[in-house]
Amino acid sequence: MAQNKPLIGKLILVTLAMFGFGFALVPLYDVFCDLTGINGKTAAVAATGDNAIVDTSREITIEFLARPNKDMPWVFKPEVHSMKVHPGEIHIMNYLAENPTGQMIVGQAVPSVSPGQAALYFNKIECFCFSQQQLAGGKDMLMPLQFYVDPALPAQFNTITLNYTLYDVTQAWADQQPLQDNIGE
């Protein structure tokens, strides 16, 4: 048994190193994707279109997709499925959300752009994805998206697909709400 102690120690050390490496993969992946633009993530903060110069010599097709996560009971879809835009032009379009349940649900939309490299050039000025959306049961709402495509978009791109996945974050939202004092009980 004593002769196995060094082997056991090495195995424990390797196991701990593998666990640590697995933990480090998520932030390393995020950094890698931010640097390369591979993952199609768009900016999580609003852009400004103040200095956008319209390039009327080019036309880009923007395709809009939407899908609720399997655990999200909302109906979720874009008002239009595609539009043609000139880089630098500011556009507004809406997504429709409908809550067919009898209870209030909080949703969070997560965007993705394809091809991934084009995400660097798709700028959202206003987006429902910047915050969580509350919707009462049996109600619907329009959720606006105001955007422009940066005129610096490489010429190889003539179509950009914007896809939103909508998640039910009601429980996480409820857990973050301040506790109410039970006065009068």
Side-chain angles (χ1 to χ4, degrees), residues 15-16 41 77 90 93 117:
T15 302
L16 290 174
K41 287 184 179 178
K77 58 187 175 185
I90 296 174
M93 65 85 59
Q117 298 87 345

Side-chain angles (χ1 to χ4, degrees), residues 101-167:
T101 72
Q103 59 190 5
M104 190 274 295
I105 295 178
V106 180
Q108 177 69 57
V110 177
S112 176
V113 172
S114 294
Q117 298 87 345
L120 300 171
Y121 304 94
F122 190 87
N123 297 292
K124 297 176 300 223
I125 297 169
E126 178 187 346
C127 182
F128 57 91
C129 64
F130 292 155
S131 60
Q132 296 174 343
Q133 305 295 318
Q134 296 179 36
L135 188 55
K139 301 291 183 184
D140 59 45
M141 69 176 163
L142 291 177
M143 300 187 301
L145 167 66
Q146 185 176 21
F147 70 93
Y148 72 95
V149 175
D150 190 322
L153 177 73
Q156 71 193 49
F157 301 112
N158 55 16
T159 301
I160 297 174
T161 302
L162 176 63
N163 180 38
Y164 283 101
T165 302
L166 188 67
Y167 293 91

Side-chain angles (χ1 to χ4, degrees), residues 5-6 9 16 26-27 37 45 64 70 72-73 81 84 92 96 121 125 131 134 145 149-150 178 181:
K5 280 188 176 183
L16 290 174
V26 173
V45 295
F64 302 99
K70 65 179 176 64
M72 172 55 106
H81 293 284
K84 294 194 180 294
I92 298 175
L96 173 67
Y121 304 94
I125 297 169
S131 60
Q134 296 179 36
L145 167 66
V149 175
D150 190 322
D181 291 326

Side-chain angles (χ1 to χ4, degrees), residues 72-94:
M72 172 55 106
W74 288 6
V75 174
F76 179 54
K77 58 187 175 185
E79 270 192 328
V80 296
H81 293 284
S82 70
M83 69 171 54
K84 294 194 180 294
V85 303
H86 295 291
E89 278 182 337
I90 296 174
H91 291 272
I92 298 175
M93 65 85 59
N94 293 304

Side-chain angles (χ1 to χ4, degrees), residues 42-89:
T42 61
V45 295
T48 63
D50 298 342
N51 298 327
I53 298 170
V54 178
D55 179 359
T56 57
S57 69
R58 293 179 63 195
E59 194 170 69
I60 309 296
T61 301
I62 309 295
E63 297 175 338
F64 302 99
L65 302 174
R67 70 176 191 88
N69 176 269
K70 65 179 176 64
D71 297 324
M72 172 55 106
W74 288 6
V75 174
F76 179 54
K77 58 187 175 185
E79 270 192 328
V80 296
H81 293 284
S82 70
M83 69 171 54
K84 294 194 180 294
V85 303
H86 295 291
E89 278 182 337

